Amino acid sequence: MAERILIIEDEEKIARVLQLELEFEGYETGIAHTGTDGLILYREQQWDLLLLDIMLPGLNGLDVLKRIRATEFNTPVIMLTAKDDVEDKVTGLDLGANDYMTKPFEIDELLARIRAALRFKPQQQEFAKEQDEFFHEYKDLSIHEQTREVKRNGRSIDLTPREYELLLYLIKNPKQVLSREQILDAVWGYDYYGDTNVVDVYIRYIRQKVDKGSKQPLIQTVRGVGYVLKEQVNEA
């Protein structure tokens, strides 16, 4: 099966040349001309590698890379830019880019770097498998247990230890309605004899942090029962 490469490049002529060269080499390709469209296409389909321009309308390439790396580390990303700017290179690599090329570039060199990045991908995937048990994700919310990093749509969220344990329990049980008693047992422990209202208080705390600035709240109340982590269904 042919490897699939997504080209996110606003200059249509350059994107078309890249597409023709890559398809001649046997790759399947997709093209997006804005950062937003590229991010949507990346999330909708499976890709083996991204060619990502920095200077893009809407979301620039660094913003796109940051959002991708907030939840996914396996897909190789090669950054493209017309500027020979060291700061951009450092920022891109720090955000998780695998390689960097400055325009104009020789297509043979780009193809060689693509082959190198794709050869390295199986090693990254093996490492990722070892880390999967520590990484939890629901929609655009993610938690990494080893680093205790909590992010939503690329935005870092600071939680207290108790808030973290509560959100971790919710994300480990997505779409499951959890009673206050279940939450108390899992987060506060079986020997907790306080008021179950403490769950409501902490749910309110993490809602303020997790759902802040998001159009789609993820922590839902089930009246008379408890809480569930799921997307809100808008009834007509």
Side-chain angles (χ1 to χ4, degrees):
M1 185 175 177
E3 289 166 307
R4 308 186 73 241
I5 296 177
L6 175 59
I7 303 162
I8 307 178
E9 164 64 66
D10 66 323
E11 295 185 49
E12 295 187 15
K13 289 183 179 179
I14 293 177
R16 180 58 177 159
V17 168
L18 289 172
Q19 182 181 42
L20 291 173
E21 292 286 352
L22 291 170
E23 290 183 352
F24 181 78
E25 294 294 321
Y27 299 108
E28 292 183 6
T29 63
I31 292 179
H33 297 300
T34 70
T36 302
D37 288 345
L39 190 60
I40 291 171
L41 192 55
Y42 161 78
R43 288 175 172 168
E44 287 179 344
Q45 301 181 32
Q46 293 293 319
W47 303 98
D48 296 294
L49 184 140
L50 272 66
L51 294 179
L52 177 59
D53 188 30
I54 282 189
M55 302 299 291
L56 294 168
L59 288 176
N60 65 40
L62 294 176
D63 288 334
V64 172
L65 178 63
K66 186 176 181 180
R67 290 167 192 254
I68 289 173
R69 289 299 188 239
T71 58
E72 196 270 325
F73 302 93
N74 298 331
T75 306
V77 176
I78 298 178
M79 304 295 293
L80 308 175
T81 181
K83 298 192 301 180
D84 189 10
D85 192 320
V86 173
E87 184 177 349
D88 276 347
K89 291 181 180 180
V90 170
T91 302
L93 293 171
D94 283 345
L95 288 174
N98 299 76
D99 205 346
Y100 213 105
M101 292 203 69
T102 303
K103 303 174 190 174
F105 47 77
E106 294 292 333
I107 191 66
D108 286 342
E109 181 181 358
L110 176 61
L111 291 172
R113 295 194 183 201
I114 288 172
R115 289 192 294 269
L118 290 172
R119 281 196 302 270
F120 185 63
K121 187 180 178 184
Q123 300 175 33
Q124 293 178 309
Q125 290 175 328
E126 189 62 34
F127 175 77
K129 287 178 183 177
E130 296 174 2
Q131 302 299 312
D132 277 350
E133 62 183 295
F134 301 107
F135 185 76
H136 308 281
E137 182 180 18
Y138 181 74
K139 301 302 178 181
D140 57 357
L141 176 67
S142 65
I143 296 180
H144 199 295
E145 286 190 76
Q146 284 188 317
T147 62
R148 297 180 73 89
E149 285 183 298
V150 180
K151 292 185 177 182
R152 181 156 190 202
N153 197 24
R155 172 178 62 89
S156 294
I157 300 172
D158 292 324
L159 299 176
T160 66
R162 189 72 75 184
E163 290 168 352
Y164 170 84
E165 294 298 333
L166 175 51
L167 186 59
L168 181 63
Y169 182 56
L170 291 174
I171 204 170
K172 283 184 174 181
N173 299 278
K175 298 183 180 181
Q176 296 184 42
V177 178
L178 303 169
S179 69
R180 290 173 178 80
E181 290 74 19
Q182 285 177 297
I183 295 172
L184 280 173
D185 288 344
V187 179
W188 276 264
Y190 289 100
D191 56 351
Y192 178 80
Y193 295 104
D195 195 330
T196 59
N197 285 342
V198 70
V199 174
D200 304 326
V201 172
Y202 274 85
I203 287 288
R204 185 168 68 250
Y205 290 160
I206 62 174
R207 268 181 175 153
Q208 291 170 353
K209 297 179 179 182
V210 171
D211 289 337
K212 179 182 178 182
S214 297
K215 294 181 180 179
Q216 181 63 268
L218 291 181
I219 303 171
Q220 314 300 333
T221 301
V222 180
R223 290 188 179 277
V225 183
Y227 299 95
V228 58
L229 185 71
K230 70 173 185 178
E231 284 187 302
Q232 189 175 44
V233 177
N234 295 319
E235 298 181 357

